[in-house]
């Protein structure tokens, strides 16, 4: 069993970094993973999705084993642009190691975590053989972009094939300062509202002949921000509403404008859904009255994987390896976990996120080794140390 070829997490991270996979480019990143996974026995499916107005995107679903339970690792190989490469101390796509740090765009977010999980799966297979159940990876090239041809479509493809995920770990860089600090067990939702209030243009000296929409726009925005949306709860911060722009575009000081617009974004916890918020926003605007148009863009609903078997399993693996008891948090922006939560319990744990999306993005090599140990401990905990699924491992129920 020890004859399998197990990837080294540091070398694999370097190989991934050397693929300049700025969304929507794959640049060979998924080939690197397939080459590491196939020797372990993973069956790899390359999935290219496209939609009108968006570029085609390469994705990968790889599975070792055919029976359940299926423990899935989800991540993305696409990265944000490096900006001006000359601002970097090292080539952003070079994978250089200096002073115990591995540099490169996408190291922290999140090629190191993908490499760590592949290495962890390899070590598990080399040491104990394939587990009783399945290990899978769902890797997309469309997380940093519009996220239209990525995880959501792979999940649809899996559902159509009758593929079941029983638990999922997303490898986003969840630790603000040190490895083992934080697991994400949910995320807030996000909705943006676009409001335009209509009136009748006219001369400021003859306001009775005009209908100024701006006092109504101001009263609507005042009403929307008058009270806190909620006080937060045990698992979430209070929801927040931020007005992001108010636009009238009227350069004349003797003209009452015909319309005024504003946009606002709400980050909301599980006391709301996008639908209850839409209703509330419409009622609030109706309370002021007058003609207006309102449209919305929902980036994701809020969700929470209730602290339980999956978060316990990951938290104890982290504690065993790092000595830290992680905080279970729902802070921060959205991630692809927002799609996965409709299919199975999902938690997020990756490497330290301090330099993600920044110049000189890097990870500590020591953290990369430790993260590999954490993922291996998660796999062992999920399937049982000797191969049989642990009776408490399956987080369903
Ligand atoms: Zn990411």
């Amino acid at each position: 069993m020890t004859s399998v070829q197990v990837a080294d997490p540091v070398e694999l991270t370097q190989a991934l970094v050397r693929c300049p996979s700025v969304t929507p480019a794959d640049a060979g990143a998924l080939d690197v993973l397939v080459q590491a996974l196939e020797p372990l026995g993973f069956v790899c499916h390359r999935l290219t999705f496209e939609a009108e107005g968006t570029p085609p995107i390469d994705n990968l679903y790889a599975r070792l084993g055919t029976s359940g339970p299926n423990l899935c690792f989800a991540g993305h190989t696409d990265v944000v642009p490096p900006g001006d490469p000359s601002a970097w101390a090292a080539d952003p796509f070079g994978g250089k190691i200096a002073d115990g740090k591995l540099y490169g765009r996408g190291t922290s977010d999140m090629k190191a975590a993908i490499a760590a999980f592949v290495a962890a799966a390899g070590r598990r297979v080399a040491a104990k053989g394939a587990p009783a159940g399945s290990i899978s990876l769902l890797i997309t090239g469309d997380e940093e972009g519009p996220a239209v041809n990525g995880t959501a479509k792979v999940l649809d493809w899996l559902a159509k094939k009758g593929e079941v995920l029983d638990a999922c770990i997303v490898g986003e860089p969840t630790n603000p300062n040190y490895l083992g600090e934080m697991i994400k067990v949910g995320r807030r939702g996000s909705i943006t509202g676009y409001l335009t209030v209509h009136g009748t243009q006219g001369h400021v000296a003859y306001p009775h002949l005009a209908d100024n929409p701006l006092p109504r726009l101001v009263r609507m925005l005042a009403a929307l921000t008058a009270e806190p949306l909620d006080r937060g709860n045990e698992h979430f911060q209070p929801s927040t509403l931020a007005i992001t722009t108010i636009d009238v575009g009227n350069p004349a000081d003797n003209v009452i404008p015909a319309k005024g617009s504003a946009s606002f974004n709400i980050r909301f916890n599980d006391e709301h859904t996008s639908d209850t918020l839409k209703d509330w926003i419409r009622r609030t605007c109706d309370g002021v009255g007058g003609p207006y148009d309102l449209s919305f863009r929902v980036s994701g609903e809020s969700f929470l994987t209730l602290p339980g078997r999956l978060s316990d399993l990951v938290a104890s693996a982290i504690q065993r390896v790092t000595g830290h008891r992680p905080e279970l948090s729902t802070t921060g922006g959205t991630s692809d976990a927002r799609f996965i939560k409709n299919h199975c319990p999902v938690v997020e744990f990756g490497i330290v996120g301090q330099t993600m999306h920044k110049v000189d993005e890097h990870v500590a090599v020591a953290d990369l080794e430790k993260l590999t140990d954490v993922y291996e401990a998660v796999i062992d905990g999920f399937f049982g140390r000797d191969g049989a699924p642990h009776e408490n491992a399956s987080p369903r129920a």
Side-chain angles (χ1 to χ4, degrees):
M1 276 198 285
T2 47
S3 63
V4 293
Q5 188 190 331
V6 178
D8 174 76
V10 177
E11 285 170 13
L12 188 54
T13 304
Q14 287 177 303
L16 288 171
V17 167
R18 287 171 188 147
C19 305
S21 49
V22 176
T23 333
D26 167 63
L30 294 182
D31 282 341
V32 168
L33 291 180
V34 169
Q35 279 157 25
L37 289 166
E38 278 182 345
L40 301 175
F42 279 83
V43 176
C44 296
H45 303 270
R46 296 287 296 266
L47 304 162
T48 303
F49 296 116
E50 51 192 320
E52 211 182 316
T54 55
I57 297 286
D58 295 323
N59 303 277
L60 171 69
Y61 178 69
R63 179 168 178 166
L64 174 69
T66 51
S67 60
N70 182 2
L71 173 66
C72 183
F73 174 90
H76 61 90
T77 44
D78 62 324
V79 301
V80 295
D84 178 6
S86 68
W88 286 64
D91 175 0
F93 301 111
K96 180 180 167 184
I97 296 175
D99 299 327
K101 294 168 186 157
L102 198 172
Y103 287 86
R105 171 57 81 226
T107 46
S108 167
D109 187 8
M110 51 170 278
K111 288 175 169 176
I114 297 173
F117 191 86
V118 172
R123 288 176 191 178
R124 158 75 198 209
V125 172
K128 295 163 197 160
S134 297
I135 302 174
S136 58
L137 288 94
L138 190 173
I139 308 293
T140 179
D142 189 21
E143 199 274 344
E144 303 287 10
V148 169
N149 295 316
T151 300
K153 286 194 177 169
V154 179
L155 289 166
D156 287 347
W157 181 87
L158 291 175
K160 274 193 204 107
K161 281 188 49 141
E163 285 270 328
V164 176
L165 309 181
D166 292 284
C168 186
I169 302 168
V170 177
E172 288 293 338
T174 50
N175 302 282
N177 302 293
Y178 59 87
L179 193 78
E181 187 178 3
M182 190 180 283
I183 300 177
K184 301 260 166 111
V185 292
R187 295 273 186 161
R188 291 178 297 172
S190 173
I191 180 173
T192 301
Y194 306 91
L195 172 65
T196 299
V197 178
H198 298 281
T200 306
Q201 197 187 48
H203 195 303
V204 292
Y206 302 90
H208 58 288
L209 298 177
D211 170 29
N212 194 340
L214 297 187
R216 289 200 297 278
L217 176 61
V218 168
R219 290 211 299 280
M220 287 176 187
L221 295 176
L224 290 171
T225 51
E227 301 280 341
L229 288 160
D230 54 66
R231 298 185 188 291
N233 58 35
E234 191 189 345
H235 300 293
F236 281 94
Q237 301 168 288
S239 304
T240 54
L241 185 155
I243 298 169
T244 49
T245 187
I246 300 175
D247 301 295
V248 180
N250 175 22
D253 57 11
N254 58 356
V255 173
I256 290 170
K259 62 180 182 180
S261 303
S263 303
F264 50 90
N265 178 268
I266 301 177
R267 295 298 164 111
F268 57 96
N269 59 33
D270 62 351
E271 316 249 318
H272 313 269
T273 66
S274 61
D275 283 337
T276 64
L277 286 169
K278 286 177 189 173
D279 286 346
W280 169 72
I281 294 163
R282 284 201 191 93
R283 279 201 312 276
T284 304
C285 294
D286 288 344
V288 173
Y292 68 88
D293 292 324
L294 186 59
S295 62
F296 299 102
R297 190 171 66 86
V298 179
S299 325
E301 300 289 337
S302 67
F303 72 93
L304 175 71
T305 292
L306 276 173
R309 287 170 182 171
L310 180 60
S311 57
D312 285 352
L313 179 70
V314 177
S316 14
I318 291 165
Q319 189 161 21
R320 208 171 323 129
V321 172
T322 68
H324 301 296
R325 187 79 193 164
E327 180 191 340
L328 307 186
S329 169
T330 57
T331 55
T334 62
S335 80
D336 277 357
R338 71 188 190 271
F339 304 122
I340 299 164
K341 57 100 171 142
N342 299 328
H343 297 255
C344 67
V346 55
V347 300
E348 299 174 65
F349 183 73
I351 209 152
V352 176
Q354 231 162 28
T355 59
M356 57 181 169
H357 295 209
K358 289 188 180 177
V359 161
D360 291 339
E361 180 174 350
H362 64 267
V363 295
V365 172
D367 283 351
L368 182 44
E369 298 287 0
K370 269 193 216 158
L371 182 60
T372 307
D373 292 344
V374 170
Y375 286 152
E376 196 183 348
V378 169
I379 294 170
D380 274 345
F382 188 84
F383 293 106
R385 293 182 166 277
D386 44 8
H390 191 273
E391 59 174 318
N392 284 324
S394 171
R396 274 190 185 260

